Amino acid sequence: MKLQQATRYSILATLHMASRPNEQIPASELAEIYGVSQHHLAKVLRTLSRARIVESTRGAGGGCSFIGDARKITLYDIIRLFEDDWLTPPNSVEEAPTDVSAELLRVLGEVDRITAATLQSVTLQTIINNAERAARRRRQNQTSLGES
Amino acid sequence: MTNTKLDIAAADHDNPDFVIDLAAWDDLESIVQIDSYASGKHKPEFWRDCYDRQANDPNFRFLVAKSGGEVAGFAIGTIKTWEFGAPTCGWVETLLVAPGFRERGIGTRLFDAVLAHFQAHGIRTVRTILNIDEHALMSFFRTQGMSAGPFIELEMQSE
């Protein structure tokens, strides 16, 4: 699945902020880490802010912070803010001009269904926890390699 | 294996709000009710079979979480070899928490108890299958660290 650039940055920025709750993170920090222009990032943050996922504070010490519930917000929730045309339209199979095109659309719909279910089941907190778990494993492996 | 007190690490009962134990005959009525509420299907025979299976199959664990003597949730873990051609692994067949007891860590404790059963048998690979539309349950299993495995389910209606 290939996401648009804005969608990818929005997910990365949200995860970054959600992994540091109660912290004001300068937009410049996010822009630098993920290699995105501040102008582009500002547009992404505006959309996230309208959805009450992040909050921006201006002035000295200002920045953005995560204000959503990381255990409830899923990847699907964020992707849908930026992209709503990646799912095969529900009536497309019935409206297909030929039997083979209907069958093709049915298969594509099958893929969409699995994709949507996967994205709806992955919360921001799951990504953060799994990343921490993977990092812990890496450190343990490095330690055990160093000891042997 | 006997159907007495749970003998695995997860039975430490460090959370005073609830305890995890092997399913008892007296728990079945509540289990049937909780399942009926969740699935919309009343199937007491199925749960009685699960109870009987526990007595006869050492690979099969039927666990309940109880709070103040009330069944708050239940789980089934079973060890299977060459199921779908896979080497020995643990299957989480059921995991359900009653609506009034959710968001209290009961599902995680049940899951841990099932894992402890598998680990006691030297098994680390754990699988489950669930309905594609059960996003909350899928999310729960992902929170525990599960992700897509090497299988995909297919089905058809024969003509």
Side-chain angles (χ1 to χ4, degrees):
Chain A
M1 180 181 188
K2 191 165 165 57
L3 297 170
Q4 288 172 20
Q5 215 175 32
T7 315
R8 227 174 33 248
Y9 289 139
S10 71
I11 294 171
L12 290 169
T14 308
L15 283 167
H16 191 94
M17 288 182 272
S19 65
R20 288 161 58 184
N22 309 316
E23 261 186 67
Q24 291 280 339
I25 297 168
S28 56
E29 180 183 318
L30 294 170
E32 193 183 328
I33 292 173
Y34 298 110
V36 55
S37 75
Q38 288 212 41
H39 174 72
H40 199 163
L41 186 66
K43 280 169 67 178
V44 163
L45 291 173
R46 266 199 300 278
T47 304
L48 291 171
S49 179
R50 275 199 298 272
R52 304 289 302 147
I53 291 173
V54 304
E55 193 173 61
S56 299
T57 315
R58 290 172 190 271
C64 336
S65 57
F66 179 75
I67 57 167
D69 184 346
R71 295 177 312 149
K72 301 277 184 220
I73 297 173
T74 66
L75 291 180
Y76 187 86
D77 296 328
I78 297 180
I79 291 170
R80 286 304 294 263
L81 291 174
F82 296 87
E83 302 183 32
D84 56 7
D85 58 351
W86 57 275
L87 289 170
T88 309
N91 295 329
S92 57
V93 173
E94 289 76 22
E95 292 164 5
T98 64
D99 288 342
V100 285
S101 59
E103 183 55 19
L104 174 62
L105 287 167
R106 200 196 55 73
V107 172
L108 296 178
E110 195 178 310
V111 175
D112 287 347
R113 193 170 181 220
I114 294 170
T115 304
T118 302
L119 296 172
Q120 280 171 298
S121 73
V122 180
T123 64
L124 300 180
Q125 197 61 54
T126 296
I127 300 241
I128 292 166
N129 291 349
N130 286 351
E132 286 172 355
R133 196 177 284 148
R136 260 199 316 274
R137 273 196 200 132
R138 262 198 315 277
R139 282 196 297 273
Q140 280 166 358
N141 288 343
Q142 281 164 357
T143 308
S144 52
L145 276 174
E147 285 169 356
S148 61
Chain B
M1 186 178 297
T2 57
N3 283 5
T4 58
K5 274 284 180 196
L6 196 59
D7 55 353
I8 54 179
D12 288 342
H13 304 333
D14 52 2
N15 185 333
D17 286 347
F18 59 89
V19 293
I20 293 177
D21 211 338
L22 295 175
W25 178 259
D26 290 344
D27 299 329
L28 288 179
E29 194 178 327
S30 301
I31 289 168
V32 169
Q33 274 178 8
I34 294 168
D35 172 58
S36 298
Y37 183 83
S39 68
K41 294 183 175 68
H42 187 69
K43 38 186 192 284
E45 300 84 6
F46 171 79
W47 295 109
R48 273 201 293 273
D49 285 350
C50 290
Y51 176 80
D52 291 342
R53 221 175 129 192
Q54 171 157 252
N56 302 315
D57 182 355
N59 290 327
F60 190 89
R61 269 282 159 125
F62 190 2
L63 302 173
V64 289
K66 283 187 176 176
S67 178
E70 195 178 345
V71 175
F74 51 94
I76 290 176
T78 181
I79 297 163
K80 293 179 181 175
T81 302
W82 304 127
E83 181 87 348
F84 303 114
T88 304
C89 68
W91 285 84
V92 182
E93 290 194 353
T94 298
L95 198 150
L96 193 54
V97 175
F101 289 97
R102 288 179 188 167
E103 308 272 333
R104 287 169 55 177
I106 294 175
T108 298
R109 282 287 305 279
L110 280 166
F111 186 80
D112 287 346
V114 170
L115 246 55
H117 167 60
F118 297 152
Q119 282 163 357
H121 287 76
I123 290 159
R124 298 183 66 82
T125 303
V126 182
R127 298 199 165 102
T128 193
I129 290 182
L130 65 162
N131 189 294
I132 196 168
D133 295 323
E134 284 192 279
H135 302 140
L137 186 57
M138 204 186 302
S139 188
F140 168 81
F141 283 125
R142 284 187 178 277
T143 305
Q144 305 306 317
M146 297 186 93
S147 58
F151 297 100
I152 190 159
E153 180 228 354
L154 300 175
E155 71 166 30
M156 65 177 280
Q157 305 298 318
S158 61
E159 290 172 9

